[in-house]
Amino acid sequence: MKQLDQFIEWMHGSVPKEVSRQQFLQWAGRGITAGVVGNFAASCRTGQPTTNSPSITYTASDGTRVPSSSWQTPPAKVPDNPEQPIQLEEWKAKTEKETDTPAPLPNDQRVGYAIVGLGHLSLDELLPAFGESKKSKVVALVSGSPEKMRKVAQQYGVKPESCYSYQDYDKLKDNKEVQVIYIVLPNSMHAEYTIRGAQAGKHILCEKPMANSVQECQAMIDACKKADRKLMVAYRIQYEPNNRMIRQMVQDQKYGTVKFIEAVNNQNSANPQHWRHIKALAGGGALPDIGLYCLNTIRYLLGEEPTEVFAYQYSTPGDPRFREVEELMSWQMKFPSGVYASCATHYGVHEARRYRVYGERGWMELSPAFSYKGIQMQTSHAEGKIERVEQPKLTEKNQFATEMDHFSECIMQNKQPFTPGEEGLQDQRIMEAIYQSAKEGKPVKLPEIKTKDTFRGPMPKEA
Ligand code: NAD
């Protein structure tokens, strides 16, 4: 009977599952638990308990035999459409925060990605994010370090024959599993690898900044158009729920007309030898790397394009990190609706990544705003004698998974990405105007663009 007790406990998940297939067959064969096994098998097939459950018992911690609990909750609803989540039975009051049950696509229906460059972003964020993705899977790697790539391939289940050196990059053309090439290389390499990737017949997801010049951005767009491939710039913030909500509040004028925005993105860098401190590789310093988040996010919140920028640049004399690239860039932007934005980005102070949007009747803030995790909203407005300061907490989503899944969906449904190459090109135009202004010490005008969201595709329905 001891084995039967073990089996019943195993079925109810209360002890480690130390039951071998052989033991299971022995028990089932003896007929001792025929009813239980039949029931168990039936419930596995249908996903629902059968109605004629035999009364079974298990041994409680005090050694007494007690009846095993029977099913009480109604069965889950299982929709046929793979993209609709399984609906579990309700148990929380409507007043509690809603939760989401993910609905991932089966592996063979997901879009296959090749990750190019196995540095910090790929190893720390992107590869783990595939675990939370619903429509994307990693199927190939490209790296200059075979040893590192072998290990990463083992960790994430990438086949050895789908691992490529940079010399073999163009051979991705023959890998049918790869639909998207995700470029995660130093900025100066984005253009070349995008163009070659498109020529190899693959869609391109390119990290920000898109490239180091307007000419490079345009060449990337042209190459993808010519090859009839999609191009998206990885602006994860535009797919992040808190930032989406602030955009909605700005567009709805929740606190009246927005008049002023301030934004900061700072971090302290350490290694003067790193490509981020070499102008030919990085294109610039704090501005294209992290200041870009202030620029791109403000454009996203407003849906407008700046008509004028005025900038100031500074680097601590003698600091080896800033021989070639700027330490600080501080700049203002004027928008057609009259909004004025003040931004700063710094490579030599402790991390801070925040913005605040000031409307006539209240303000909205994210701090941090641009981090990978832990984004926190705060709003403030007056109600009679109360200054109501609120900190709404949204369910956190993996920004990289959300972003990749958006691109995968665009490929599956043949849609334009929300942040296509044109969006990256516009940021590059503005950054070049910011550098020009800092150099000349005077404002630089940009062409007025009257339409909203001019450089974006259709907005994804949900983040
Ligand atoms: P990293 O230095 O950690 O990784 C870069 C990889 O490129 C390394 O594996 C390196 O070996 C490889 N590489 C190939 N050729 C190289 C060369 N000639 N010189 C130097 N390295 C070379 O950098 P990272 O932080 O992973 O950044 C990669 C890209 O991702 C950059 O464009 C960066 O702006 C972007 N990024 C985006 C985010 C985001 O939140 N979206 C965050 C970090 C970085």
Side-chain angles (χ1 to χ4, degrees):
M1 280 306 279
K2 189 162 172 279
Q3 284 184 329
L4 176 60
D5 290 346
Q6 268 183 359
F7 176 58
I8 291 166
E9 284 177 338
W10 168 69
M11 275 188 59
H12 288 268
S14 54
V15 291
K17 299 174 180 60
E18 290 168 355
V19 180
S20 69
R21 183 179 150 76
Q22 200 184 357
Q23 282 173 308
F24 179 94
L25 292 174
Q26 273 172 7
W27 289 321
R30 277 183 207 149
I32 301 168
T33 56
V36 175
V37 171
N39 232 357
F40 176 57
S43 68
C44 282
R45 270 198 306 275
T46 62
Q48 294 173 16
T50 54
T51 45
N52 59 341
S53 302
S55 69
I56 51 177
T57 59
Y58 72 100
T59 310
S61 55
D62 64 1
T64 57
R65 303 286 306 168
V66 288
S68 173
S69 49
S70 59
W71 257 283
Q72 295 295 341
T73 46
K77 291 195 191 89
V78 184
D80 284 341
N81 180 344
E83 294 197 27
Q84 276 173 353
I86 292 169
Q87 288 169 29
L88 299 169
E89 66 282 358
E90 282 182 24
W91 67 279
K92 281 186 190 165
K94 293 276 186 224
T95 49
E96 302 304 296
K97 199 172 93 162
E98 289 172 14
T99 55
D100 281 336
T101 304
L105 285 182
N107 210 41
D108 61 353
Q109 291 177 28
R110 295 181 186 212
V111 172
Y113 282 64
I115 300 290
V116 186
L118 300 180
H120 283 91
L121 186 67
S122 296
L123 296 194
D124 297 349
E125 305 298 332
L126 302 181
L127 287 161
F130 282 104
E132 289 184 60
S133 129
K134 294 182 248 176
K135 299 178 177 154
S136 319
K137 62 182 173 185
V138 56
V139 294
L141 302 173
V142 180
S143 168
S145 161
E147 227 168 87
K148 178 171 63 173
M149 183 157 52
R150 199 171 309 121
K151 179 154 178 122
V152 174
Q154 280 171 353
Q155 289 170 329
Y156 291 94
V158 175
K159 295 178 212 154
E161 61 270 28
S162 294
C163 293
Y164 302 82
S165 65
Y166 291 111
Q167 288 72 30
D168 285 344
Y169 177 71
D170 301 309
K171 293 190 181 153
L172 278 170
K173 185 182 195 319
D174 302 321
N175 190 329
K176 297 284 169 271
E177 281 191 316
V178 175
Q179 285 165 277
V180 174
I181 295 179
Y182 192 167
I183 315 280
V184 202
L185 292 167
N187 307 341
S188 62
M189 300 171 75
H190 291 184
E192 179 192 338
Y193 280 81
T194 294
I195 293 167
R196 283 168 60 188
Q199 286 167 351
K202 307 299 179 183
H203 302 286
I204 306 290
L205 179 54
C206 180
E207 261 310 326
K208 46 56 60 183
M210 184 171 170
N212 284 355
S213 70
V214 162
Q215 288 77 5
E216 282 182 346
C217 294
Q218 192 60 59
M220 293 158 79
I221 293 169
D222 294 345
C224 290
K225 282 218 171 99
K226 191 167 172 209
D228 193 22
R229 298 293 82 185
K230 293 185 194 302
L231 170 59
M232 173 167 141
V233 183
Y235 287 122
R236 61 185 164 82
I237 292 300
Q238 297 200 31
Y239 304 93
E240 192 282 320
N242 289 276
N243 283 279
R244 274 175 69 111
M245 189 178 254
I246 300 270
R247 175 179 149 113
Q248 196 59 50
M249 291 196 279
V250 169
Q251 303 290 327
D252 293 348
Q253 301 201 332
K254 184 170 166 68
Y255 297 124
T257 306
V258 167
K259 302 267 183 166
F260 177 60
I261 303 177
E262 52 179 354
V264 158
N265 202 358
N266 299 332
Q267 70 190 35
N268 205 342
S269 62
N271 178 3
Q273 317 303 332
H274 193 267
W275 65 262
R276 280 185 164 82
H277 294 276
I278 300 164
K279 189 153 190 274
L281 292 173
L287 177 63
D289 190 23
I290 52 175
L292 177 57
Y293 285 88
C294 305
L295 165 59
N296 184 262
T297 306
I298 291 172
R299 291 181 46 240
Y300 163 69
L301 297 179
L302 298 172
E304 294 180 47
E305 300 302 331
T307 52
E308 188 176 308
V309 295
F310 191 11
Y312 178 80
Q313 176 179 333
Y314 182 75
S315 296
T316 305
D319 189 323
R321 296 173 297 174
F322 308 117
R323 272 193 297 255
E324 296 192 16
V325 299
E326 78 280 357
E327 180 179 16
L328 161 84
M329 182 67 82
S330 159
W331 76 100
Q332 281 80 49
M333 294 187 281
K334 270 189 199 167
F335 288 86
S337 64
V339 178
Y340 186 82
S342 178
C343 308
T345 185
H346 209 297
Y347 248 177
V349 297
H350 183 59
E351 181 174 309
R353 312 186 189 283
R354 59 174 174 76
Y355 65 77
R356 188 178 276 189
V357 179
Y358 297 87
E360 294 161 301
R361 298 193 299 273
W363 52 256
M364 302 147 263
E365 172 185 279
L366 293 186
S367 182
F370 312 124
S371 307
Y372 301 147
K373 291 195 179 100
I375 292 181
Q376 179 58 58
M377 190 185 304
Q378 182 159 291
T379 64
S380 183
H381 68 282
E383 279 179 17
K385 291 186 178 168
I386 302 170
E387 182 66 24
R388 192 175 286 284
V389 179
E390 293 171 329
Q391 290 195 326
K393 284 195 194 301
L394 273 57
T395 304
E396 191 149 65
K397 295 207 173 162
N398 184 309
Q399 298 170 30
F400 298 98
T402 313
E403 166 189 271
M404 288 189 288
D405 282 348
H406 169 67
F407 195 43
S408 297
E409 190 174 297
C410 290
I411 289 159
M412 289 189 280
Q413 299 175 7
N414 193 20
K415 287 190 305 196
Q416 196 196 1
F418 185 52
T419 52
E422 287 76 1
E423 173 75 352
L425 168 62
Q426 175 63 1
D427 274 336
Q428 188 60 39
R429 277 192 202 107
I430 300 166
M431 286 196 290
E432 289 188 7
I434 290 171
Y435 278 120
Q436 186 191 336
S437 169
K439 196 170 159 209
E440 295 174 356
K442 58 182 192 203
V444 170
K445 293 215 181 298
L446 288 155
E448 183 168 345
I449 289 161
K450 294 206 167 74
T451 50
K452 276 203 159 187
D453 291 319
T454 309
F455 302 105
R456 296 186 187 92
M459 191 165 196
K461 280 195 197 71
E462 54 177 318

